[in-house]
Amino acid sequence: MFNSSPKQGALLRFLLERQPYSEATLDVIRPRLLQGGVNNECLRNASQVQKSHGFKMVSGWLYIAKPTLGTAQFTQHWWNYDPGQQVFYDLSPNIEPNAIHVLDLGLAKFASQQFGYLTVAKSILLKGERFFSLDYGEDGFDIEPIERLDDQSLFPPKPHHGQRLS
């Protein structure tokens, strides 16, 4: 029998439910955290590192367990990879100390093919046995149950922010 803590259980459940929809294998990684980025601007931060250092932009999820609320949150996030040194770097400030980075390379590919630019997907909440999407709406947050963790369910039809590919 497999025993896991609630934190590990939520992460494992997410990985198992998301993996069939991602072309690349999902992977838990530990990037080096750098200083100098802008809070809540992970896409812009990763783009700046790409331009200044030539590191690849990569994407995935920040997993944050919220045991006091009985939830787990997965927020799509951008960071960088230096193929020469084989090291991941994250310039975004204020990453929660217990956040776990989950590499999901399919997100960037889907966004660029679907929209013609890189953008940020909806966040995901796991509460009990149910996944919910979380997105910024006109009147605050839009929270809706979702059945699948496929790309179409994770991205708004017309993302409200993004960055053109150059």
Side-chain angles (χ1 to χ4, degrees):
M1 174 180 255
F2 176 73
N3 289 324
S4 66
S5 71
K7 181 176 180 176
Q8 292 170 328
L11 178 58
L12 181 59
R13 169 113 187 265
F14 175 82
L15 293 171
L16 290 171
E17 299 247 355
R18 172 68 184 143
Q19 185 60 70
Y21 303 108
S22 183
E23 290 183 24
T25 301
L26 301 178
D27 196 9
V28 174
I29 58 107
R30 185 174 298 233
R32 291 187 187 162
L33 302 178
L34 303 175
Q35 301 296 317
V38 177
N39 199 32
N40 296 321
E41 293 290 339
C42 64
L43 180 57
R44 184 176 297 148
N45 294 335
S47 177
Q48 288 175 345
V49 170
Q50 180 184 35
K51 290 174 186 170
S52 64
H53 291 83
F55 298 164
K56 291 176 52 176
M57 289 175 61
V58 296
S59 189
W61 305 91
L62 284 179
Y63 163 57
I64 301 164
K66 307 256 184 187
T68 56
L69 300 175
T71 63
Q73 181 175 335
F74 300 87
T75 302
Q76 200 245 319
H77 188 65
W78 289 91
W79 60 93
N80 299 91
Y81 179 68
D82 176 0
Q85 296 293 317
Q86 298 183 344
V87 175
F88 292 96
Y89 294 98
D90 192 341
L91 190 64
S92 293
N94 301 321
I95 301 290
E96 289 194 33
N98 295 325
I100 295 173
H101 286 71
V102 177
L103 186 65
D104 185 347
L105 297 174
L107 292 169
K109 184 176 181 181
F110 175 82
S112 65
Q113 288 175 342
Q114 186 76 16
F115 309 114
Y117 56 89
L118 300 177
T119 187
V120 179
K122 298 176 184 179
S123 292
I124 300 168
L125 297 175
L126 175 61
K127 178 138 178 93
E129 296 297 313
R130 203 85 207 256
F131 284 106
F132 296 85
S133 67
L134 172 67
D135 194 25
Y136 299 107
E138 291 183 23
D139 298 322
F141 289 105
D142 292 331
I143 301 173
E144 299 176 355
I146 55 174
E147 300 301 319
R148 296 178 317 278
L149 299 183
D150 63 316
D151 295 324
Q152 291 80 10
S153 298
L154 299 177
F155 283 92
K158 292 184 178 181
H160 43 271
H161 57 291
Q163 183 167 330
R164 287 264 167 227
L165 300 173
S166 50

